[in-house]
Amino acid sequence: GAVVSQHPSRVICKSGTSVKIECRSLDFQATTMFWYRQFPKKSLMLMATSNEGSKATYEQGVEKDKFLINHASLTLSTLTVTSAHPEDSSFYICSAIGQMVYPYEQYFGPGTRLTVT
Amino acid sequence: AQTVTQSQPEMSVQEAETVTLSCTYDTSESDYYLFWYKQPPSRQMILVIRQEAYKQQNATENRFSVNFQKAAKSFSLKISDSQLGDAAMYFCAYNSGGGADGLTFGKGTHLIIQP
C-alpha cells in the first residue's frame, strides 16, 4: 500500500512553454502533498506544501507565479512550471501523507525529470 | 530554521561489514521526527528507518539501526552485514509540525559497497 505515482516520468519542453506534472496517491487519501526539487548530485529541496482545496504554501525563494500548484482532490496534486527556462531543468519529486499507521510518514513518487531546451 | 548536516559526502565499506553514517541536526522544537532515506540510481526515495523524538529507544529495522542522541542532536545510521544492494545515496531528514511539515534533508552520503 501507500503508492504515489507521478506523470510524466520524463518531459522535454521548449523554453517559454508550460509543462504540468501530476502527482497521485493511488491507494490512500492524501491530506497533504509536498513538492521537492533535486538538482544533479544534490539533496532534495522543499518547494511547496499543498492541502486539498486550499492554496499551496511556498518556501522562501520559490516563485509561486512560476510554479503553480493545484491540489484539486485528496488524491491529485499538480505542479505547472510556467514559461519554463533552461534553469528550471531539474528532477521534481512529490510526496504525500495521509491517515496511515504513521501519519507523519511521507510516501514519495518516482520523480519527474524536466529538461527545458 | 532547522538544519540537517551530513558531514560524510562518501563512505566505502566492504561487503558483510558494518558502516555508520553520521547526521546532526539543529532545531528548537521539542517534538519532531527523524528519518533516513535511501535513494538508489533509480532516484526513488525509499524509507529506511524512522525515529520519533519523544521515544528514547533507538529504532531498528533488520540490519539497520540508529543511534539517536537527542541532547547532542545526533542521529546516526548503522548498517550491519552490508550488502551490494545497500549501495546508494543516503539522506538524513527531519520534520516537525506533528509530521505535517515538509522534510528538511541533509546533503546526503554516497555509500559504496566493495565486493
Side-chain angles (χ1 to χ4, degrees):
Chain A
V3 179
V4 176
S5 70
Q6 277 185 247
H7 179 79
S9 57
R10 292 173 179 264
V11 59
I12 301 172
C13 70
K14 291 186 183 297
S15 185
T17 62
S18 296
V19 61
K20 181 185 288 187
I21 301 170
E22 291 186 349
C23 175
R24 292 182 185 271
S25 57
L26 299 184
D27 51 4
F28 68 101
Q29 292 188 323
T31 52
T32 305
M33 287 183 165
F34 305 90
W35 288 94
Y36 298 86
R37 183 174 181 175
Q38 186 177 31
F39 289 104
K41 300 187 187 300
K42 297 291 186 182
S43 186
L44 283 75
M45 297 292 293
L46 178 67
M47 298 176 65
T49 300
S50 74
N51 294 288
E52 185 261 342
S54 59
K55 289 186 177 181
T57 303
Y58 291 81
E59 295 299 302
Q60 192 172 9
V62 177
E63 299 176 61
K64 59 181 67 177
D65 293 333
K66 165 168 276 296
F67 298 100
L68 299 180
I69 292 171
N70 183 26
H71 194 158
S73 76
L74 283 171
T75 58
L76 174 64
S77 176
T78 59
L79 168 68
T80 301
V81 183
T82 63
S83 187
H85 288 101
E87 57 265 31
D88 298 325
S89 298
S90 193
F91 194 68
Y92 293 89
I93 307 175
C94 72
S95 71
I97 59 175
Q99 297 302 318
M100 315 293 283
V101 174
Y102 298 101
Y104 55 83
E105 182 173 329
Q106 295 188 21
Y107 298 92
F108 284 85
T112 297
R113 183 182 302 281
L114 170 63
T115 304
V116 184
T117 62
Chain B
Q2 294 83 10
T3 58
V4 177
T5 302
Q6 292 179 250
S7 58
Q8 306 154 315
E10 187 172 280
M11 291 284 284
S12 181
V13 64
Q14 291 289 130
E15 193 176 3
E17 293 190 347
T18 296
V19 63
T20 298
L21 308 185
S22 301
C23 174
T24 58
Y25 59 95
D26 188 23
T27 183
S28 58
E29 303 284 340
S30 58
D31 186 24
Y32 51 88
Y33 304 90
L34 296 164
F35 308 86
W36 279 98
Y37 282 92
K38 171 184 178 180
Q39 188 180 44
S42 68
R43 303 189 80 168
Q44 173 71 57
M45 297 294 285
I46 301 167
L47 177 67
V48 175
I49 201 163
R50 67 176 76 78
Q51 174 80 46
E52 296 92 340
Y54 62 84
K55 288 187 177 179
Q56 292 187 335
Q57 188 172 8
N58 289 324
T60 63
E61 288 287 343
N62 301 313
R63 297 183 295 109
F64 300 88
S65 62
V66 298
N67 183 3
F68 174 47
Q69 301 290 327
K70 191 171 184 178
K73 295 180 181 175
S74 172
F75 183 62
S76 61
L77 173 70
K78 185 171 82 171
I79 305 174
S80 303
D81 185 25
S82 298
Q83 300 176 0
L84 294 177
D86 295 333
M89 283 293 293
Y90 286 80
F91 293 99
C92 179
Y94 161 104
N95 79 352
S96 60
D101 290 347
L103 290 164
T104 299
F105 286 89
K107 291 186 175 182
T109 297
H110 182 210
L111 179 63
I112 299 168
I113 310 295
Q114 303 280 6

